[in-house]
């Protein structure tokens, strides 16, 4: 599909600079990626049903919650496919690669947000099969 947009020249110039620096093949490719990111960032897990593939990232104070976090992760083994963990001083960064019913992934993120020692939880998701 072809379309046109009214965009200020300085925004286009900056956009072109960024996608060129990233080594993308052309502006159309960059616009497609930008539109997909926009859709993903505005698709809320709370409004999604069916099967999803998601990356759940969170940071936390290791010594405050590690035992409880492991317990939660064991409770959600049915949707957690893989985990990655790194230490950054007293803080840890963890990523959970998930696939399963959106309701289960939603429950998992809510459980993670319940801990005072968890600073933030971010979810990047796509619907399965899209």
């Amino acid at each position: 599909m072809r379309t046109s947009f009214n965009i200020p020249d300085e925004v286009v110039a900056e956009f072109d600079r960024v996608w060129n620096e990233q080594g993308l093949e052309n502006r159309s490719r960059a616009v497609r990626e930008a539109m997909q990111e926009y859709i993903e960032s505005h698709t809320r897990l709370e409004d999604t049903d069916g099967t999803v593939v998601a990356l759940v990232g969170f940071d936390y104070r290791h010594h405050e919650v590690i035992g409880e976090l492991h317990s939660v992760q064991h409770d959600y083994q049915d949707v957690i496919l893989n985990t990655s963990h790194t230490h950054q001083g007293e803080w840890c960064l963890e990523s959970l690669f998930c696939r399963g019913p959106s309701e289960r992934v939603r429950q998992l993120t809510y459980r993670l947000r319940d801990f005072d020692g968890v600073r933030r939880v971010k979810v990047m998701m796509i619907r399965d099969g899209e």
Side-chain angles (χ1 to χ4, degrees), residues 68-80:
E68 294 90 348
L69 285 176
H70 282 167
S71 178
V72 167
Q73 289 180 27
H74 283 272
D75 291 344
Y76 289 87
Q77 289 181 64
D78 59 312
V79 293
I80 298 173

Side-chain angles (χ1 to χ4, degrees), residues 89-107:
E90 68 182 67
W91 287 91
C92 293
L93 178 61
E94 188 120 0
S95 57
L96 310 176
F97 299 91
C98 303
R99 182 179 185 281
S102 60
E103 179 61 27
R104 286 290 289 162
V105 176
R106 188 170 29 254
Q107 291 168 356

Side-chain angles (χ1 to χ4, degrees), residues 58-61 64-73 75 91 108-121:
F58 58 102
D59 59 338
Y60 60 94
R61 290 184 190 269
E64 291 180 18
V65 294
I66 191 63
E68 294 90 348
L69 285 176
H70 282 167
S71 178
V72 167
Q73 289 180 27
D75 291 344
W91 287 91
L108 169 61
T109 61
Y110 292 163
R111 291 275 307 273
L112 295 172
R113 289 177 177 149
D114 279 344
F115 295 101
D116 289 337
V118 173
R119 184 167 36 181
R120 67 190 149 210
V121 179

